[in-house]
Amino acid sequence: MDAIKQIFKDLEFTEEELLFIEKRSSKLALKKGDELLSKGDLTLSQFYVLEGCLRSYFIDSHEKDHTVQFAIHDWWISDYTAFFDSSMAVLTIESLQNTTVLEFTRAAQQEIFDEIPKVERFFREKMEHSFGAFQKRIINNLSKTAKDKYNDFLQTHAQIEKHIKNYHIASYLGITTESLSRIRREIARG
């Protein structure tokens, strides 16, 4: 029940409510390199990261890798387009470190919403925040220089940056690893 309390730390629950939620989640352990979700999988779940680091990405028609999201402790991840449509994933989610997640299926989530309505509000507010963050990222990618995008990444993801490979960061920023190295050298020189 500690994991459930951690996820919903701002909400008050009875022991029965905590048990109800816990019974509708599954704990999964992943090793570095494991795929939590693969392109083409039916997407019926979203995941809360208890520990570790994940990334979601897609491969375009030219076989280029595009990182969409990183997720660390206390973050949520899924292929949300597929999750909300109960359709096939276009993204792959891989573990960048040994990672533990809690899985919530759409069906289990709906049961929780029906039984404990304050949880639905919690998820709605999380989704609103996430939608705003994704929109901001799109605007930044369209309007900012590579150096500005990297500086924004450092401000937003400082705790992730030191744990992931350079090509994942470059993929997330939409630049080459060479450009990332050049930007880092410029910043180091001041």
Side-chain angles (χ1 to χ4, degrees), residues 117-132:
K118 61 187 164 193
V119 176
E120 185 170 22
R121 180 178 178 180
F122 170 87
F123 275 104
R124 179 183 52 79
E125 290 172 354
K126 287 284 185 193
M127 285 298 116
E128 288 170 353
H129 176 77
S130 295
F131 181 79

Side-chain angles (χ1 to χ4, degrees), residues 6-7 46-50 73-76 100-102:
Q6 179 182 323
I7 294 171
Q46 67 175 321
F47 307 91
Y48 175 84
V49 181
L50 293 167
H73 169 71
D74 199 29
W75 290 25
W76 292 87
T100 305
V101 298
L102 277 185

Side-chain angles (χ1 to χ4, degrees), residues 17-158:
E17 289 173 329
L18 287 169
L19 189 58
F20 186 87
I21 296 169
E22 185 177 57
K23 286 183 178 181
R24 282 151 186 82
S25 67
S26 302
K27 193 177 212 179
L28 306 173
L30 305 162
K31 299 232 181 278
K32 181 179 179 178
D34 286 352
E35 288 186 358
L36 179 61
L37 182 71
S38 299
K39 180 181 177 183
D41 287 352
L42 183 60
T43 307
L44 301 174
S45 300
Q46 67 175 321
F47 307 91
Y48 175 84
V49 181
L50 293 167
E51 63 182 357
C53 183
L54 301 166
R55 82 171 179 123
S56 64
Y57 67 94
F58 75 96
I59 305 291
D60 68 20
S61 61
H62 302 289
E63 299 298 314
K64 185 174 179 190
D65 177 307
H66 300 273
T67 299
V68 175
Q69 179 188 2
F70 294 107
I72 59 169
H73 169 71
D74 199 29
W75 290 25
W76 292 87
I77 193 167
S78 185
D79 179 330
Y80 283 106
T81 302
F83 175 70
F84 291 125
D85 291 343
S86 298
S87 62
M88 302 301 178
V90 296
L91 300 175
T92 298
I93 300 175
E94 75 170 328
S95 181
L96 298 178
Q97 303 172 341
N98 292 343
T99 302
T100 305
V101 298
L102 277 185
E103 176 182 22
F104 290 87
T105 66
R106 285 273 290 165
Q109 190 176 27
Q110 191 58 54
E111 287 179 35
I112 295 167
F113 292 170
D114 291 344
E115 184 71 22
I116 312 167
K118 61 187 164 193
V119 176
E120 185 170 22
R121 180 178 178 180
F122 170 87
F123 275 104
R124 179 183 52 79
E125 290 172 354
K126 287 284 185 193
M127 285 298 116
E128 288 170 353
H129 176 77
S130 295
F131 181 79
F134 272 125
Q135 187 173 4
K136 180 180 177 184
R137 180 166 176 236
I138 290 167
I139 291 168
N140 286 344
N141 280 344
L142 294 172
S143 64
K144 290 194 172 187
T145 66
K147 185 176 181 180
D148 289 341
K149 288 191 280 188
Y150 179 64
N151 282 324
D152 287 349
F153 175 82
L154 290 177
Q155 288 180 344
T156 307
H157 299 88

